[in-house]
Short mmCIF file of all heavy atoms in Angstrom, two decimals:
data_model
loop_
_atom_site.label_atom_id
_atom_site.label_comp_id
_atom_site.label_asym_id
_atom_site.label_seq_id
_atom_site.Cartn_x
_atom_site.Cartn_y
_atom_site.Cartn_z
N TRP A 372 73.72 88.30 95.39
CA TRP A 372 73.13 87.67 96.54
C TRP A 372 72.28 86.60 96.26
O TRP A 372 72.27 85.44 96.93
CB TRP A 372 72.67 88.73 97.54
CG TRP A 372 71.84 88.18 98.72
CD1 TRP A 372 70.57 88.00 98.90
CD2 TRP A 372 72.50 87.58 99.90
NE1 TRP A 372 70.28 87.41 100.08
CE2 TRP A 372 71.52 87.25 100.76
CE3 TRP A 372 73.92 87.43 100.22
CZ2 TRP A 372 71.73 86.54 101.95
CZ3 TRP A 372 74.06 86.78 101.45
CH2 TRP A 372 72.99 86.39 102.32
N SER A 373 71.27 86.90 95.42
CA SER A 373 70.24 85.87 95.14
C SER A 373 70.77 84.58 94.34
O SER A 373 70.48 83.45 94.79
CB SER A 373 69.12 86.50 94.06
OG SER A 373 68.39 87.48 94.74
N LEU A 374 71.81 84.80 93.51
CA LEU A 374 72.46 83.75 92.92
C LEU A 374 73.29 82.89 93.95
O LEU A 374 73.27 81.75 93.90
CB LEU A 374 73.28 84.21 91.90
CG LEU A 374 72.58 84.82 90.55
CD1 LEU A 374 73.64 85.44 89.54
CD2 LEU A 374 71.79 83.80 89.89
N ALA A 375 73.84 83.60 94.90
CA ALA A 375 74.84 82.92 95.86
C ALA A 375 73.83 82.14 96.80
O ALA A 375 74.13 81.03 97.16
CB ALA A 375 75.60 83.93 96.64
N LYS A 376 72.74 82.74 97.14
CA LYS A 376 71.92 82.08 98.14
C LYS A 376 71.19 80.80 97.47
O LYS A 376 71.17 79.77 98.05
CB LYS A 376 70.79 83.12 98.51
CG LYS A 376 69.78 82.44 99.43
CD LYS A 376 68.69 83.40 99.84
CE LYS A 376 67.50 82.90 100.71
NZ LYS A 376 66.51 83.69 101.02
N ARG A 377 70.91 80.87 96.11
CA ARG A 377 70.23 79.77 95.46
C ARG A 377 71.36 78.68 95.31
O ARG A 377 71.05 77.41 95.48
CB ARG A 377 69.73 80.10 94.22
CG ARG A 377 68.39 81.01 94.19
CD ARG A 377 68.10 81.53 93.07
NE ARG A 377 67.92 80.68 91.92
CZ ARG A 377 67.93 81.18 90.73
NH1 ARG A 377 67.82 82.44 90.36
NH2 ARG A 377 68.01 80.27 89.74
N ASP A 378 72.44 79.05 95.11
CA ASP A 378 73.65 78.06 94.93
C ASP A 378 73.94 77.24 96.11
O ASP A 378 74.07 76.01 96.10
CB ASP A 378 74.92 78.84 94.36
CG ASP A 378 76.01 77.73 93.97
OD1 ASP A 378 75.78 76.98 93.20
OD2 ASP A 378 77.10 77.89 94.57
N VAL A 379 74.11 77.85 97.29
CA VAL A 379 74.52 77.28 98.47
C VAL A 379 73.41 76.57 99.17
O VAL A 379 73.59 75.76 100.04
CB VAL A 379 75.11 78.18 99.51
CG1 VAL A 379 76.36 78.86 98.92
CG2 VAL A 379 74.14 79.36 100.01
N SER A 380 72.13 76.94 98.78
CA SER A 380 70.93 76.21 99.38
C SER A 380 70.32 75.09 98.44
O SER A 380 69.28 74.66 98.74
CB SER A 380 69.88 77.36 99.69
OG SER A 380 69.32 77.85 98.43
N ALA A 381 71.16 74.71 97.50
CA ALA A 381 70.63 73.63 96.57
C ALA A 381 70.38 72.33 97.46
O ALA A 381 69.48 71.54 97.09
CB ALA A 381 71.63 73.29 95.45
N GLY A 382 71.23 72.14 98.55
CA GLY A 382 70.93 71.01 99.41
C GLY A 382 71.65 69.73 99.17
O GLY A 382 71.72 69.32 97.98
N GLY A 383 72.08 69.03 100.14
CA GLY A 383 72.67 67.80 100.08
C GLY A 383 73.96 67.58 99.20
O GLY A 383 74.36 66.51 99.03
N GLY A 384 74.49 68.75 98.86
CA GLY A 384 75.68 68.59 98.01
C GLY A 384 75.50 68.16 96.71
O GLY A 384 76.45 67.83 95.98
N GLN A 385 74.20 67.97 96.38
CA GLN A 385 73.94 67.38 94.88
C GLN A 385 73.95 68.66 93.93
O GLN A 385 73.59 69.67 94.18
CB GLN A 385 72.51 66.90 94.90
CG GLN A 385 72.39 65.72 95.86
CD GLN A 385 71.01 65.13 95.87
OE1 GLN A 385 70.00 65.60 95.27
NE2 GLN A 385 70.79 64.05 96.49
N SER A 386 74.43 68.32 92.77
CA SER A 386 74.56 69.26 91.63
C SER A 386 73.32 69.06 90.67
O SER A 386 73.64 68.32 89.71
CB SER A 386 75.92 69.27 91.05
OG SER A 386 75.99 70.20 90.00
N ARG A 387 72.17 69.73 91.01
CA ARG A 387 71.07 69.58 90.18
C ARG A 387 70.90 70.95 89.44
O ARG A 387 71.06 71.91 90.06
CB ARG A 387 69.92 69.25 90.99
CG ARG A 387 69.79 67.84 91.49
CD ARG A 387 68.54 67.58 92.40
NE ARG A 387 67.38 67.80 91.72
CZ ARG A 387 66.70 66.73 91.07
NH1 ARG A 387 67.16 65.62 91.03
NH2 ARG A 387 65.59 67.12 90.43
N PRO A 388 70.57 70.93 88.17
CA PRO A 388 70.32 72.13 87.46
C PRO A 388 69.07 72.76 88.00
O PRO A 388 68.06 72.10 88.35
CB PRO A 388 70.16 71.78 85.95
CG PRO A 388 69.76 70.23 86.03
CD PRO A 388 70.47 69.68 87.35
N GLN A 389 68.95 74.19 88.09
CA GLN A 389 67.88 74.86 88.58
C GLN A 389 67.61 75.95 87.59
O GLN A 389 68.43 76.59 86.91
CB GLN A 389 68.27 75.53 90.00
CG GLN A 389 68.63 74.55 91.02
CD GLN A 389 68.84 75.24 92.29
OE1 GLN A 389 68.71 76.54 92.42
NE2 GLN A 389 69.42 74.44 93.24
N LEU A 390 66.28 76.30 87.44
CA LEU A 390 65.77 77.28 86.51
C LEU A 390 64.61 77.95 86.98
O LEU A 390 63.65 77.28 87.39
CB LEU A 390 65.69 76.72 85.14
CG LEU A 390 65.45 77.61 83.93
CD1 LEU A 390 66.81 78.47 83.68
CD2 LEU A 390 65.00 76.96 82.64
N ARG A 391 64.69 79.38 87.06
CA ARG A 391 63.45 80.05 87.48
C ARG A 391 63.01 80.94 86.20
O ARG A 391 63.75 81.71 85.77
CB ARG A 391 63.72 80.97 88.66
CG ARG A 391 64.19 80.22 90.00
CD ARG A 391 64.67 81.18 91.04
NE ARG A 391 63.51 81.81 91.65
CZ ARG A 391 62.75 81.26 92.61
NH1 ARG A 391 63.05 80.20 93.21
NH2 ARG A 391 61.86 82.02 93.05
N VAL A 392 61.79 80.64 85.85
CA VAL A 392 61.23 81.34 84.62
C VAL A 392 59.98 82.13 85.00
O VAL A 392 59.12 81.64 85.70
CB VAL A 392 61.00 80.33 83.51
CG1 VAL A 392 60.34 80.88 82.34
CG2 VAL A 392 62.25 79.54 83.20
N SER A 393 59.85 83.32 84.40
CA SER A 393 58.66 84.02 84.51
C SER A 393 58.21 84.60 83.19
O SER A 393 58.93 85.13 82.43
CB SER A 393 58.93 85.28 85.46
OG SER A 393 57.63 85.86 85.78
N VAL A 394 56.86 84.51 82.84
CA VAL A 394 56.39 84.89 81.58
C VAL A 394 55.21 85.73 81.74
O VAL A 394 54.67 85.81 82.90
CB VAL A 394 55.86 83.66 80.61
CG1 VAL A 394 57.04 82.54 80.53
CG2 VAL A 394 54.64 82.86 81.43
N GLN A 395 54.93 86.49 80.65
CA GLN A 395 53.64 87.33 80.64
C GLN A 395 52.40 86.57 81.05
O GLN A 395 52.31 85.38 80.63
CB GLN A 395 53.50 88.04 79.34
CG GLN A 395 54.55 88.96 78.98
CD GLN A 395 54.23 90.39 79.54
OE1 GLN A 395 55.03 91.26 79.60
NE2 GLN A 395 52.97 90.65 79.99
N PHE A 396 51.43 87.30 81.64
CA PHE A 396 50.24 86.45 82.10
C PHE A 396 49.47 85.84 80.85
O PHE A 396 49.14 84.67 80.95
CB PHE A 396 49.29 87.52 82.83
CG PHE A 396 49.48 87.69 84.22
CD1 PHE A 396 49.96 88.82 84.76
CD2 PHE A 396 49.24 86.59 85.13
CE1 PHE A 396 50.15 89.01 86.24
CE2 PHE A 396 49.53 86.67 86.44
CZ PHE A 396 49.99 87.88 86.94
N SER A 397 49.43 86.65 79.79
CA SER A 397 48.60 86.15 78.67
C SER A 397 49.22 84.92 77.97
O SER A 397 48.59 84.26 77.12
CB SER A 397 48.37 87.20 77.69
OG SER A 397 49.65 87.75 77.11
#
Side-chain angles (χ1 to χ4, degrees):
W372 172 255
S373 295
L374 292 171
K376 182 180 178 182
R377 286 165 52 190
D378 182 57
V379 300
S380 63
Q385 300 176 354
S386 180
R387 291 174 59 93
Q389 300 179 8
L390 193 65
R391 298 174 70 90
V392 175
S393 189
V394 305
Q395 291 276 167
F396 274 115
S397 63

